[in-house]
Amino acid sequence: MEVVICSDVAQAASRAADTVEALFSRSPDAVLGIATGSSPVGIYEELGRRVSAGRLSLAKARAFMLDEYVGLPSEHPERYQNVILRDFVAKVDIDADNVHGPDGLAEDLDAACAAYERAIVEAGGVDLQILGVGTDGHIAFNEPGSSLASRTRIKCLTRQTRQDNARFFGGDVDQVPLHCLTQGIATIMAARHLVLIASGEAKAEAIRQVVEGSVSAMWPGTILQMHPHVTVFVDKAAASQLTLADYFNDVYNHKHLIQGR
Ligand code: GLP
């Protein structure tokens, strides 16, 4: 796991955007895994600037979302399909038809989950998955206690996550749906490169657990320690509880010495 401690959230977003740009320079039709929440918004804005500058194109990209609330009406502004249209699709040149998410309005939710798993496989799998992390260490909507071998399925959200996300629902926790569809932990782990971004003091404990804690379903993000290619971009506040912070800085600052060897 590479941990990159950035001076601020803008630098973290810019460096994370570099990984996406590098991928699409190599493979214009690559498959991007996209996350909702506030953490990745800076990445999407930076990608938008690079697309506008003619430096990057996502015109041939395909994208898969991590998760979706169950039951939010199709026009609801907080339905993740709509959030992604606003936060990501509107900012870059991706074809909206190539952006997929689990169907939280399906009559048969189990079948929708299975179909979503198939769609990811048929696209050739996710090349680069952008991730945020919840304050309780969840990735996508895999709450503490989730099976580390899970696939896309229905989950019940914790009170903590619903409280965290109430800010998007007028501060009213009761407006936050109880259920969601989420890629499972094994689904996420099948992506070829995982790029996690986190900022702020509120994420410091989750980042400490994800990077340095014991692998446990109690902190689902700790499973990233089992993946061969993970990059974590954090600001100083989110990195503030890392025991190995100096080492991570040394590794990053001296990376150029061994690159290309
Ligand atoms: C939600 C999303 C996650 C996201 C998390 C953190 O629960 N399902 O994918 O990582 O919130 O959100 P934020 O980035 O807003 O802190």
Side-chain angles (χ1 to χ4, degrees), residues 34-41 66-69 80 130-136 138-143 157 161-162 164-165 167-168 180 182 197-199 203:
I34 46 179
T36 42
S38 46
S39 303
V41 169
L66 283 173
D67 45 17
E68 181 59 275
Y69 290 113
Y80 276 174
I130 296 171
L131 291 171
V133 64
T135 56
D136 61 1
H138 73 249
I139 50 172
F141 268 139
N142 293 284
E143 298 285 25
L157 297 173
T161 295
R162 293 177 66 232
D164 286 349
N165 289 359
R167 66 191 194 279
F168 300 116
C180 65
T182 181
I197 184 161
S199 61
K203 298 292 173 71

mmCIF file of all heavy atoms in Angstrom, residues 34-41 66-69 80 130-136 138-143 157 161-162 164-165 167-168 180 182 197-199 203, ligand 1:
data_model
loop_
_atom_site.group_PDB
_atom_site.id
_atom_site.type_symbol
_atom_site.label_atom_id
_atom_site.label_comp_id
_atom_site.label_asym_id
_atom_site.label_seq_id
_atom_site.Cartn_x
_atom_site.Cartn_y
_atom_site.Cartn_z
ATOM 1 N N ILE A 34 -16.259 4.570 -9.794
ATOM 2 C CA ILE A 34 -16.484 5.903 -9.221
ATOM 3 C C ILE A 34 -17.259 5.798 -7.910
ATOM 4 O O ILE A 34 -18.106 4.935 -7.730
ATOM 5 C CB ILE A 34 -17.225 6.826 -10.230
ATOM 6 C CG1 ILE A 34 -18.409 6.096 -10.875
ATOM 7 C CG2 ILE A 34 -16.254 7.336 -11.287
ATOM 8 C CD1 ILE A 34 -19.194 6.951 -11.847
ATOM 9 N N ALA A 35 -16.920 6.727 -7.012
ATOM 10 C CA ALA A 35 -17.518 6.737 -5.677
ATOM 11 C C ALA A 35 -18.319 8.018 -5.492
ATOM 12 O O ALA A 35 -18.015 9.046 -6.106
ATOM 13 C CB ALA A 35 -16.414 6.670 -4.625
ATOM 14 N N THR A 36 -19.303 7.948 -4.637
ATOM 15 C CA THR A 36 -20.044 9.156 -4.258
ATOM 16 C C THR A 36 -19.509 9.647 -2.911
ATOM 17 O O THR A 36 -18.494 9.183 -2.434
ATOM 18 C CB THR A 36 -21.553 8.845 -4.159
ATOM 19 O OG1 THR A 36 -21.690 7.600 -3.505
ATOM 20 C CG2 THR A 36 -22.189 8.788 -5.526
ATOM 21 N N GLY A 37 -20.195 10.592 -2.316
ATOM 22 C CA GLY A 37 -19.696 11.187 -1.074
ATOM 23 C C GLY A 37 -18.902 12.434 -1.423
ATOM 24 O O GLY A 37 -18.621 12.718 -2.595
ATOM 25 N N SER A 38 -18.499 13.175 -0.408
ATOM 26 C CA SER A 38 -17.787 14.438 -0.662
ATOM 27 C C SER A 38 -16.315 14.220 -1.001
ATOM 28 O O SER A 38 -15.717 15.032 -1.711
ATOM 29 C CB SER A 38 -17.937 15.366 0.545
ATOM 30 O OG SER A 38 -17.693 14.657 1.730
ATOM 31 N N SER A 39 -15.722 13.120 -0.527
ATOM 32 C CA SER A 39 -14.268 12.937 -0.700
ATOM 33 C C SER A 39 -13.793 12.985 -2.156
ATOM 34 O O SER A 39 -12.784 13.619 -2.440
ATOM 35 C CB SER A 39 -13.823 11.627 -0.060
ATOM 36 O OG SER A 39 -14.177 11.616 1.297
ATOM 37 N N PRO A 40 -14.481 12.292 -3.096
ATOM 38 C CA PRO A 40 -13.945 12.284 -4.464
ATOM 39 C C PRO A 40 -14.284 13.516 -5.298
ATOM 40 O O PRO A 40 -13.800 13.640 -6.421
ATOM 41 C CB PRO A 40 -14.585 11.033 -5.092
ATOM 42 C CG PRO A 40 -15.609 10.558 -4.156
ATOM 43 C CD PRO A 40 -15.657 11.429 -2.969
ATOM 44 N N VAL A 41 -15.087 14.433 -4.757
ATOM 45 C CA VAL A 41 -15.560 15.561 -5.576
ATOM 46 C C VAL A 41 -14.387 16.382 -6.129
ATOM 47 O O VAL A 41 -14.388 16.795 -7.289
ATOM 48 C CB VAL A 41 -16.547 16.446 -4.768
ATOM 49 C CG1 VAL A 41 -16.837 17.742 -5.479
ATOM 50 C CG2 VAL A 41 -17.845 15.674 -4.526
ATOM 51 N N LEU A 66 -20.192 2.551 -7.096
ATOM 52 C CA LEU A 66 -20.040 1.596 -6.001
ATOM 53 C C LEU A 66 -21.370 1.163 -5.404
ATOM 54 O O LEU A 66 -21.535 0.017 -4.990
ATOM 55 C CB LEU A 66 -19.227 2.227 -4.863
ATOM 56 C CG LEU A 66 -17.718 2.325 -5.048
ATOM 57 C CD1 LEU A 66 -17.123 3.136 -3.909
ATOM 58 C CD2 LEU A 66 -17.092 0.931 -5.088
ATOM 59 N N ASP A 67 -22.309 2.107 -5.315
ATOM 60 C CA ASP A 67 -23.476 1.808 -4.483
ATOM 61 C C ASP A 67 -24.651 2.721 -4.822
ATOM 62 O O ASP A 67 -24.509 3.651 -5.618
ATOM 63 C CB ASP A 67 -23.102 1.922 -2.990
ATOM 64 C CG ASP A 67 -22.274 3.167 -2.673
ATOM 65 O OD1 ASP A 67 -22.256 4.095 -3.493
ATOM 66 O OD2 ASP A 67 -21.647 3.204 -1.599
ATOM 67 N N GLU A 68 -25.780 2.434 -4.212
ATOM 68 C CA GLU A 68 -26.998 3.209 -4.452
ATOM 69 C C GLU A 68 -27.965 3.010 -3.292
ATOM 70 O O GLU A 68 -28.007 1.932 -2.699
ATOM 71 C CB GLU A 68 -27.659 2.731 -5.759
ATOM 72 C CG GLU A 68 -28.918 3.453 -6.162
ATOM 73 C CD GLU A 68 -28.729 4.958 -6.367
ATOM 74 O OE1 GLU A 68 -28.810 5.691 -5.348
ATOM 75 O OE2 GLU A 68 -28.508 5.388 -7.501
ATOM 76 N N TYR A 69 -28.693 4.041 -2.947
ATOM 77 C CA TYR A 69 -29.753 3.886 -1.943
ATOM 78 C C TYR A 69 -30.904 3.086 -2.539
ATOM 79 O O TYR A 69 -31.185 3.178 -3.728
ATOM 80 C CB TYR A 69 -30.290 5.258 -1.531
ATOM 81 C CG TYR A 69 -29.327 6.092 -0.727
ATOM 82 C CD1 TYR A 69 -28.785 7.261 -1.254
ATOM 83 C CD2 TYR A 69 -28.967 5.728 0.569
ATOM 84 C CE1 TYR A 69 -27.911 8.046 -0.504
ATOM 85 C CE2 TYR A 69 -28.089 6.510 1.318
ATOM 86 C CZ TYR A 69 -27.568 7.666 0.770
ATOM 87 O OH TYR A 69 -26.703 8.432 1.508
ATOM 88 N N TYR A 80 -27.928 8.261 -5.815
ATOM 89 C CA TYR A 80 -26.526 8.323 -6.237
ATOM 90 C C TYR A 80 -26.363 8.465 -7.758
ATOM 91 O O TYR A 80 -25.411 9.087 -8.225
ATOM 92 C CB TYR A 80 -25.760 7.111 -5.700
ATOM 93 C CG TYR A 80 -25.265 7.290 -4.271
ATOM 94 C CD1 TYR A 80 -24.651 6.237 -3.597
ATOM 95 C CD2 TYR A 80 -25.383 8.507 -3.595
ATOM 96 C CE1 TYR A 80 -24.179 6.390 -2.290
ATOM 97 C CE2 TYR A 80 -24.915 8.664 -2.293
ATOM 98 C CZ TYR A 80 -24.309 7.601 -1.648
ATOM 99 O OH TYR A 80 -23.830 7.759 -0.369
ATOM 100 N N ILE A 130 -11.936 4.408 -7.568
ATOM 101 C CA ILE A 130 -11.824 5.510 -6.613
ATOM 102 C C ILE A 130 -12.669 5.155 -5.395
ATOM 103 O O ILE A 130 -13.815 4.710 -5.531
ATOM 104 C CB ILE A 130 -12.314 6.833 -7.251
ATOM 105 C CG1 ILE A 130 -11.402 7.218 -8.431
ATOM 106 C CG2 ILE A 130 -12.376 7.945 -6.216
ATOM 107 C CD1 ILE A 130 -11.909 8.377 -9.258
ATOM 108 N N LEU A 131 -12.099 5.369 -4.210
ATOM 109 C CA LEU A 131 -12.811 5.047 -2.970
ATOM 110 C C LEU A 131 -12.724 6.204 -1.979
ATOM 111 O O LEU A 131 -11.693 6.879 -1.899
ATOM 112 C CB LEU A 131 -12.157 3.841 -2.281
ATOM 113 C CG LEU A 131 -12.274 2.467 -2.921
ATOM 114 C CD1 LEU A 131 -11.362 1.487 -2.191
ATOM 115 C CD2 LEU A 131 -13.719 1.980 -2.890
ATOM 116 N N GLY A 132 -13.781 6.380 -1.212
ATOM 117 C CA GLY A 132 -13.711 7.175 0.006
ATOM 118 C C GLY A 132 -13.762 6.192 1.164
ATOM 119 O O GLY A 132 -13.738 4.973 0.965
ATOM 120 N N VAL A 133 -13.838 6.707 2.359
ATOM 121 C CA VAL A 133 -13.989 5.814 3.515
ATOM 122 C C VAL A 133 -14.925 6.493 4.514
ATOM 123 O O VAL A 133 -14.877 7.720 4.684
ATOM 124 C CB VAL A 133 -12.618 5.466 4.137
ATOM 125 C CG1 VAL A 133 -11.921 6.688 4.719
ATOM 126 C CG2 VAL A 133 -12.743 4.374 5.196
ATOM 127 N N GLY A 134 -15.791 5.719 5.114
ATOM 128 C CA GLY A 134 -16.684 6.277 6.130
ATOM 129 C C GLY A 134 -15.938 6.464 7.450
ATOM 130 O O GLY A 134 -14.869 5.884 7.657
ATOM 131 N N THR A 135 -16.501 7.247 8.345
ATOM 132 C CA THR A 135 -15.831 7.450 9.639
ATOM 133 C C THR A 135 -15.733 6.132 10.416
ATOM 134 O O THR A 135 -14.869 5.976 11.273
ATOM 135 C CB THR A 135 -16.572 8.498 10.509
ATOM 136 O OG1 THR A 135 -17.933 8.088 10.661
ATOM 137 C CG2 THR A 135 -16.534 9.874 9.870
ATOM 138 N N ASP A 136 -16.621 5.187 10.110
ATOM 139 C CA ASP A 136 -16.568 3.877 10.768
ATOM 140 C C ASP A 136 -15.782 2.859 9.947
ATOM 141 O O ASP A 136 -15.827 1.662 10.211
ATOM 142 C CB ASP A 136 -17.988 3.355 11.037
ATOM 143 C CG ASP A 136 -18.800 3.164 9.760
ATOM 144 O OD1 ASP A 136 -18.263 3.423 8.654
ATOM 145 O OD2 ASP A 136 -19.971 2.744 9.854
ATOM 146 N N HIS A 138 -16.166 2.114 6.722
ATOM 147 C CA HIS A 138 -16.829 1.407 5.619
ATOM 148 C C HIS A 138 -16.287 1.866 4.274
ATOM 149 O O HIS A 138 -15.864 3.015 4.122
ATOM 150 C CB HIS A 138 -18.357 1.526 5.692
ATOM 151 C CG HIS A 138 -18.940 2.851 5.346
ATOM 152 N ND1 HIS A 138 -19.540 3.679 6.270
ATOM 153 C CD2 HIS A 138 -19.054 3.507 4.173
ATOM 154 C CE1 HIS A 138 -19.990 4.772 5.674
ATOM 155 N NE2 HIS A 138 -19.701 4.701 4.397
ATOM 156 N N ILE A 139 -16.256 0.953 3.314
ATOM 157 C CA ILE A 139 -15.952 1.299 1.928
ATOM 158 C C ILE A 139 -17.183 0.943 1.109
ATOM 159 O O ILE A 139 -17.836 -0.056 1.375
ATOM 160 C CB ILE A 139 -14.675 0.605 1.392
ATOM 161 C CG1 ILE A 139 -14.681 -0.894 1.664
ATOM 162 C CG2 ILE A 139 -13.437 1.266 1.974
ATOM 163 C CD1 ILE A 139 -13.529 -1.645 0.984
ATOM 164 N N ALA A 140 -17.499 1.789 0.117
ATOM 165 C CA ALA A 140 -18.808 1.761 -0.535
ATOM 166 C C ALA A 140 -19.826 1.830 0.603
ATOM 167 O O ALA A 140 -19.730 2.703 1.451
ATOM 168 C CB ALA A 140 -18.973 0.560 -1.442
ATOM 169 N N PHE A 141 -20.760 0.876 0.685
ATOM 170 C CA PHE A 141 -21.660 0.855 1.837
ATOM 171 C C PHE A 141 -21.470 -0.446 2.616
ATOM 172 O O PHE A 141 -22.412 -0.972 3.205
ATOM 173 C CB PHE A 141 -23.114 1.014 1.394
ATOM 174 C CG PHE A 141 -23.608 2.447 1.383
ATOM 175 C CD1 PHE A 141 -24.420 2.901 0.348
ATOM 176 C CD2 PHE A 141 -23.310 3.335 2.414
ATOM 177 C CE1 PHE A 141 -24.901 4.209 0.329
ATOM 178 C CE2 PHE A 141 -23.791 4.641 2.409
ATOM 179 C CZ PHE A 141 -24.589 5.084 1.360
ATOM 180 N N ASN A 142 -20.257 -0.981 2.593
ATOM 181 C CA ASN A 142 -19.973 -2.190 3.371
ATOM 182 C C ASN A 142 -19.690 -1.776 4.805
ATOM 183 O O ASN A 142 -18.579 -1.367 5.151
ATOM 184 C CB ASN A 142 -18.777 -2.928 2.765
ATOM 185 C CG ASN A 142 -19.101 -3.485 1.395
ATOM 186 O OD1 ASN A 142 -19.796 -4.495 1.277
ATOM 187 N ND2 ASN A 142 -18.646 -2.793 0.347
ATOM 188 N N GLU A 143 -20.706 -1.893 5.597
ATOM 189 C CA GLU A 143 -20.643 -1.439 6.980
ATOM 190 C C GLU A 143 -19.829 -2.409 7.842
ATOM 191 O O GLU A 143 -19.584 -3.547 7.440
ATOM 192 C CB GLU A 143 -22.073 -1.343 7.544
ATOM 193 C CG GLU A 143 -22.966 -0.333 6.828
ATOM 194 C CD GLU A 143 -22.624 1.111 7.192
ATOM 195 O OE1 GLU A 143 -21.481 1.408 7.586
ATOM 196 O OE2 GLU A 143 -23.532 1.960 7.069
ATOM 197 N N LEU A 157 -28.031 0.184 6.411
ATOM 198 C CA LEU A 157 -27.037 1.181 6.831
ATOM 199 C C LEU A 157 -27.014 1.316 8.350
ATOM 200 O O LEU A 157 -28.040 1.172 9.020
ATOM 201 C CB LEU A 157 -27.353 2.535 6.201
ATOM 202 C CG LEU A 157 -27.275 2.552 4.675
ATOM 203 C CD1 LEU A 157 -27.759 3.879 4.117
ATOM 204 C CD2 LEU A 157 -25.850 2.283 4.218
ATOM 205 N N THR A 161 -23.622 5.887 9.785
ATOM 206 C CA THR A 161 -23.555 6.303 8.371
ATOM 207 C C THR A 161 -24.738 7.184 8.025
ATOM 208 O O THR A 161 -24.595 8.194 7.320
ATOM 209 C CB THR A 161 -23.529 5.046 7.465
ATOM 210 O OG1 THR A 161 -22.315 4.337 7.739
ATOM 211 C CG2 THR A 161 -23.586 5.414 5.997
ATOM 212 N N ARG A 162 -25.920 6.831 8.547
ATOM 213 C CA ARG A 162 -27.100 7.636 8.234
ATOM 214 C C ARG A 162 -26.961 9.024 8.856
ATOM 215 O O ARG A 162 -27.329 10.032 8.251
ATOM 216 C CB ARG A 162 -28.371 6.913 8.687
ATOM 217 C CG ARG A 162 -28.582 5.644 7.839
ATOM 218 C CD ARG A 162 -29.784 4.841 8.275
ATOM 219 N NE ARG A 162 -31.020 5.532 8.049
ATOM 220 C CZ ARG A 162 -31.965 5.727 8.971
ATOM 221 N NH1 ARG A 162 -31.783 5.263 10.205
ATOM 222 N NH2 ARG A 162 -33.070 6.360 8.674
ATOM 223 N N ASP A 164 -24.034 10.515 9.437
ATOM 224 C CA ASP A 164 -23.005 11.185 8.630
ATOM 225 C C ASP A 164 -23.613 11.746 7.335
ATOM 226 O O ASP A 164 -23.210 12.806 6.859
ATOM 227 C CB ASP A 164 -21.878 10.203 8.259
ATOM 228 C CG ASP A 164 -20.963 9.877 9.443
ATOM 229 O OD1 ASP A 164 -21.060 10.549 10.488
ATOM 230 O OD2 ASP A 164 -20.156 8.936 9.313
ATOM 231 N N ASN A 165 -24.518 10.979 6.738
ATOM 232 C CA ASN A 165 -25.068 11.371 5.437
ATOM 233 C C ASN A 165 -26.310 12.249 5.552
ATOM 234 O O ASN A 165 -26.814 12.740 4.534
ATOM 235 C CB ASN A 165 -25.359 10.126 4.592
ATOM 236 C CG ASN A 165 -24.068 9.458 4.130
ATOM 237 O OD1 ASN A 165 -22.973 9.949 4.434
ATOM 238 N ND2 ASN A 165 -24.172 8.367 3.407
ATOM 239 N N ARG A 167 -26.495 15.168 6.395
ATOM 240 C CA ARG A 167 -26.225 16.522 5.890
ATOM 241 C C ARG A 167 -26.700 16.702 4.445
ATOM 242 O O ARG A 167 -26.951 17.818 4.010
ATOM 243 C CB ARG A 167 -24.724 16.859 6.014
ATOM 244 C CG ARG A 167 -23.794 16.048 5.148
ATOM 245 C CD ARG A 167 -22.340 16.309 5.574
ATOM 246 N NE ARG A 167 -21.346 15.841 4.620
ATOM 247 C CZ ARG A 167 -20.928 14.581 4.519
ATOM 248 N NH1 ARG A 167 -21.449 13.645 5.299
ATOM 249 N NH2 ARG A 167 -20.001 14.259 3.638
ATOM 250 N N PHE A 168 -26.803 15.591 3.713
ATOM 251 C CA PHE A 168 -27.306 15.675 2.336
ATOM 252 C C PHE A 168 -28.827 15.625 2.283
ATOM 253 O O PHE A 168 -29.431 15.755 1.229
ATOM 254 C CB PHE A 168 -26.742 14.525 1.488
ATOM 255 C CG PHE A 168 -25.240 14.519 1.391
ATOM 256 C CD1 PHE A 168 -24.495 13.471 1.910
ATOM 257 C CD2 PHE A 168 -24.565 15.570 0.779
ATOM 258 C CE1 PHE A 168 -23.106 13.468 1.818
ATOM 259 C CE2 PHE A 168 -23.178 15.577 0.680
ATOM 260 C CZ PHE A 168 -22.451 14.520 1.206
ATOM 261 N N CYS A 180 -29.524 -0.017 1.167
ATOM 262 C CA CYS A 180 -28.778 0.347 -0.040
ATOM 263 C C CYS A 180 -28.388 -0.921 -0.783
ATOM 264 O O CYS A 180 -28.501 -2.024 -0.238
ATOM 265 C CB CYS A 180 -27.510 1.097 0.359
ATOM 266 S SG CYS A 180 -26.396 0.036 1.288
ATOM 267 N N THR A 182 -24.925 -2.285 -2.563
ATOM 268 C CA THR A 182 -23.511 -1.922 -2.613
ATOM 269 C C THR A 182 -22.661 -3.029 -3.216
ATOM 270 O O THR A 182 -22.925 -4.215 -2.980
ATOM 271 C CB THR A 182 -22.967 -1.560 -1.205
ATOM 272 O OG1 THR A 182 -21.596 -1.191 -1.329
ATOM 273 C CG2 THR A 182 -23.093 -2.693 -0.207
ATOM 274 N N ILE A 197 -9.195 8.186 -1.219
ATOM 275 C CA ILE A 197 -8.910 9.571 -0.836
ATOM 276 C C ILE A 197 -9.690 9.904 0.431
ATOM 277 O O ILE A 197 -10.863 9.522 0.578
ATOM 278 C CB ILE A 197 -9.240 10.554 -1.987
ATOM 279 C CG1 ILE A 197 -8.838 11.987 -1.599
ATOM 280 C CG2 ILE A 197 -10.698 10.471 -2.436
ATOM 281 C CD1 ILE A 197 -8.697 12.945 -2.757
ATOM 282 N N ALA A 198 -9.014 10.572 1.369
ATOM 283 C CA ALA A 198 -9.683 10.966 2.617
ATOM 284 C C ALA A 198 -9.043 12.243 3.136
ATOM 285 O O ALA A 198 -7.843 12.463 2.960
ATOM 286 C CB ALA A 198 -9.556 9.859 3.662
ATOM 287 N N SER A 199 -9.857 13.067 3.765
ATOM 288 C CA SER A 199 -9.321 14.307 4.333
ATOM 289 C C SER A 199 -10.063 14.644 5.614
ATOM 290 O O SER A 199 -11.200 14.207 5.828
ATOM 291 C CB SER A 199 -9.458 15.453 3.317
ATOM 292 O OG SER A 199 -10.817 15.654 3.010
ATOM 293 N N LYS A 203 -11.707 11.684 9.662
ATOM 294 C CA LYS A 203 -11.329 10.428 8.999
ATOM 295 C C LYS A 203 -10.036 9.834 9.564
ATOM 296 O O LYS A 203 -9.600 8.770 9.124
ATOM 297 C CB LYS A 203 -11.169 10.657 7.483
ATOM 298 C CG LYS A 203 -12.436 11.106 6.764
ATOM 299 C CD LYS A 203 -13.481 10.017 6.745
ATOM 300 C CE LYS A 203 -14.818 10.479 6.182
ATOM 301 N NZ LYS A 203 -14.820 10.709 4.762
HETATM 302 C C1 GLP B 1 -20.959 7.097 1.756
HETATM 303 C C2 GLP B 1 -20.559 6.366 0.484
HETATM 304 C C3 GLP B 1 -19.124 5.940 0.517
HETATM 305 C C4 GLP B 1 -18.260 7.091 0.959
HETATM 306 C C5 GLP B 1 -18.637 7.506 2.353
HETATM 307 C C6 GLP B 1 -17.812 8.655 2.868
HETATM 308 O O1 GLP B 1 -21.414 6.275 2.744
HETATM 309 N N1 GLP B 1 -21.389 5.240 0.215
HETATM 310 O O2 GLP B 1 -18.734 5.478 -0.781
HETATM 311 O O3 GLP B 1 -16.907 6.723 0.909
HETATM 312 O O4 GLP B 1 -19.980 7.904 2.351
HETATM 313 O O5 GLP B 1 -18.377 9.845 2.436
HETATM 314 P P1 GLP B 1 -17.674 11.245 2.445
HETATM 315 O O6 GLP B 1 -16.644 11.185 1.381
HETATM 316 O O7 GLP B 1 -18.748 12.219 2.120
HETATM 317 O O8 GLP B 1 -17.102 11.434 3.790
#
